[in-house]
Amino acid sequence: MSLSIREAGRADSPEIARIFSAVMPQRPLTAEILDHQLQALLDHPLRPHVREWLAEVDGEAVGQAVVFQNPSMFHPDRYQVELMVVPTHAQRGVGTRLAQEVETHLQERGAREVLGGAYEDHPHAVAFAQRRGLKEVMRVFDNVLNLETFDFSAWESGARLPAGVRARTLAELTQEGGEDAAMRAYHSAFSEVRLDVPRSGDATEQTMDDFRKRAQSPNFFPDGVLLAVTDSGEAVALSELWRSPTGPHRLDVGLTGTRRAWRRKGLALALKLEAMRRASAAGVQELWTGNATTNAPMLELNTRLGFRPRPAYIEFRWRSE
């Protein structure tokens, strides 16, 4: 077996996306989405660091690794690592070689904190991280809802928006008041709600420019963004659906939540149900979402709706002494 490791570039995006999707079919990736993510990093005003490697065996790409700084919870000494080897070449030394490249690079960068992860039903990947001194910090369940069997009639009462608040998709709000006003309302709600999402580091402010670039992703779905909007035009809650690379039968749930002053009024539930109705009418069969085990309110809401957990993604962290 002739194994080589080299730095990857944009031309390698199709291979990297293929490897990512083979290792984590729960979270498939396309070259187009990957290119958008990389460009967003390169264009970000914080200038986050990013470096990629590709592992090839006899000329075939079988593994990849990336080191980057996450702008959503940026710290100059914190890095995230994704390292993956296709199942056909797992436990054959490919991951070890990639890890050596990554560890050398992180040492040269003076990294003081490293985040990585693996699914709990990939025991070899979990053990691989633990052997390198990474400790578990949180778990995020994939929760899946079967829309084909969901009984909407059971939710007709007790799940309505209060008077003076209406549900609008981002596309509808754009038609009503223009793109700038719609994006400002969306960004304002998103920026507050995201602060309460469990994460392993403090959230970094997301500027309007960053937010607009997020909405340019190939899998962004304006008709899947539901906003609870007051008569004055303020968005006070939101529920996002994103297109999935797996196909039109599935949508992925993004951020769902309510601004603090409007909580305990049933807005998140009402919006989520409206999004589910629209998805079902469009022929969508499954909704996938990720919920941290520490996010008790959202876990409870999704359990009530019938979402069922799949194996959890474990996030690990290494910190220098």
Side-chain angles (χ1 to χ4, degrees), residues 1 19 183 198 210 316:
M1 179 178 78
I19 293 167
M183 287 299 292
D210 302 333
F316 295 98

Side-chain angles (χ1 to χ4, degrees), residues 3 22 31 33 38 57 64 70 76 113 118 123 125 142 161 188 203 209 218 220 228 246 248 251 261 291 308 310:
L3 171 62
I33 294 173
L38 289 173
V57 171
Q64 64 91 19
N70 187 347
E113 182 177 355
D142 284 330
L161 293 173
S188 180
D209 285 343
F220 185 71
T246 59
L251 289 174
N291 297 125
R308 294 295 175 258
R310 303 287 178 93

Side-chain angles (χ1 to χ4, degrees), residues 160-168 227-231 234-237 262 265 267 271:
R160 302 181 185 278
L161 293 173
V165 180
R166 65 193 191 281
R168 290 291 185 272
L227 301 166
V229 184
T230 66
D231 291 337
E234 180 187 13
V236 294
W262 286 80
K265 301 179 187 294
L267 273 71
L271 275 188

Side-chain angles (χ1 to χ4, degrees), residues 119-163:
Y119 272 95
E120 63 181 350
D121 60 346
H122 293 181
H124 297 293
V126 171
F128 187 86
Q130 292 171 334
R131 287 197 301 271
R132 282 158 176 77
L134 280 77
K135 309 294 185 183
E136 179 178 335
V137 290
M138 66 186 297
R139 293 190 178 215
V140 180
F141 285 110
D142 284 330
N143 279 312
V144 183
L145 177 69
N146 184 344
L147 277 178
E148 292 184 301
T149 60
F150 187 81
D151 182 10
F152 285 98
S153 65
W155 295 88
E156 288 302 320
S157 61
R160 302 181 185 278
L161 293 173

